[in-house]
Amino acid sequence: MTDPKPEIENVRVFIRVRPLNKKETSEDRKNVVLVDTAENLIVLNKDGNGEKRKPYKFDQIFAESSTQMDLYRVIAAPIVEKVLQGFNGTIFAYGQTGTGKTYTMAGNFSNSDSKGITPNAFSHIFTQISRSSEEKSFVVTVTYLEIYNEEVRDLLSANPNKKLAIRERTDVGVYVKDLMGFTVDSWKASPNY
Ligand SMILES: Nc1ncnc2c1ncn2[C@@H]1O[C@H](COP(=O)(O)OP(=O)(O)OP(=O)(O)O)[C@@H](O)[C@H]1O
Ligand SMILES: [Mg+2]
């Protein structure tokens, strides 16, 4: 890997509006998020007078009809390309329960149209590595942790109930002590997954 110069970019914020599910439709619920994809605005229309309400602007809004690949191309692909050049990158999903964080980040691994950002990013990384010149070498390591109720657990550990500590060091920054890292060479999930 090359040794890139530090480069800091602004955090980009995207909104994804999920479709109403069967239960919500059967209860005749209405979508209260008005979307203007041309201007990248949303308006919360709880009491039906959306035009008078304050619009909120974001980097890009993805309406209900957006596909997993629509999001991947805009949000994740540029970050993965940067990572392959040696930069750090972070993507995280934020939202209340049931809004679609797991669907967006993980999705359905066995259905190619429903794969979320994580499996698509692995596929992208290993495809690019397989096409890169032989002088370059890459090491891909995965870690997988959960922070729940302010407790950190290692989801790849043989003992995932053990609580791990968050530490800071001047040379590496913030890290989780004893978090397991596994070197991987394929995007495919193991048969035991
Ligand atoms: N864009 C979408 N298209 C179709 N179905 C979706 C979409 N987003 C979410 N869903 C479905 O909505 C339900 C809730 O989504 P999900 O489990 O991803 O929410 P979550 O934000 O991870 O919630 P929690 O915080 O409780 O984990 C799931 O059944 C998921 O498949
Ligand atoms: Mg979830």
Side-chain angles (χ1 to χ4, degrees):
M1 281 251 175
T2 52
D3 186 17
K5 300 229 164 13
E7 182 179 302
I8 295 181
E9 292 182 337
N10 290 335
V11 172
R12 295 193 298 156
V13 184
F14 302 92
I15 298 287
R16 182 182 209 180
V17 181
R18 74 154 168 78
L20 295 180
N21 59 35
K22 282 195 189 114
K23 183 166 178 289
E24 289 159 343
T25 312
S26 72
E27 290 170 356
D28 205 22
R29 302 228 192 171
K30 298 280 176 281
N31 190 342
V32 295
V33 185
L34 304 181
V35 173
D36 179 343
T37 46
E39 297 293 331
N40 293 317
L41 300 172
I42 60 164
V43 176
L44 298 182
N45 189 33
K46 280 187 203 153
D47 49 14
N49 63 348
E51 282 159 29
K52 292 185 195 149
R53 287 179 167 267
K54 191 170 180 281
Y56 295 91
K57 193 167 171 71
F58 294 89
D59 286 289
Q60 191 161 332
I61 317 283
F62 293 91
E64 292 99 314
S65 56
S66 304
T67 65
Q68 298 282 61
M69 240 332 140
D70 291 336
L71 271 84
Y72 189 79
R73 278 192 208 102
V74 174
I75 297 171
I79 294 178
V80 170
E81 288 295 329
K82 281 280 189 186
V83 166
L84 291 163
Q85 293 164 24
F87 293 92
N88 290 327
T90 301
I91 301 169
F92 75 91
Y94 177 83
Q96 74 182 61
T97 187
T99 48
K101 300 181 295 296
T102 301
Y103 181 83
T104 298
M105 294 304 294
N108 180 352
F109 281 51
S110 52
N111 174 344
S112 65
D113 288 340
S114 310
K115 275 188 192 148
I117 285 175
T118 313
N120 282 322
F122 274 112
S123 173
H124 184 170
I125 288 167
F126 286 111
T127 303
Q128 294 298 76
I129 289 175
S130 69
R131 289 182 188 155
S132 73
S133 70
E134 295 202 344
E135 298 96 69
K136 274 193 190 162
S137 68
F138 295 82
V139 178
V140 183
T141 306
V142 293
T143 60
Y144 192 30
L145 64 86
E146 173 186 68
I147 307 173
Y148 192 73
N149 286 340
E150 297 181 19
E151 289 173 355
V152 182
R153 293 194 168 78
D154 188 344
L155 299 177
L156 297 181
S157 157
N159 182 10
N161 293 326
K162 191 177 158 214
K163 293 175 208 159
L164 302 186
I166 296 178
R167 297 270 162 82
E168 188 165 9
R169 254 175 34 199
T170 45
D171 54 344
V172 287
V174 176
Y175 68 100
V176 176
K177 187 169 179 293
D178 298 334
L179 185 66
M180 305 276 284
F182 292 91
T183 305
V184 291
D185 60 7
S186 155
W187 60 270
K188 287 186 186 131
S190 89
N192 301 325
Y193 180 78

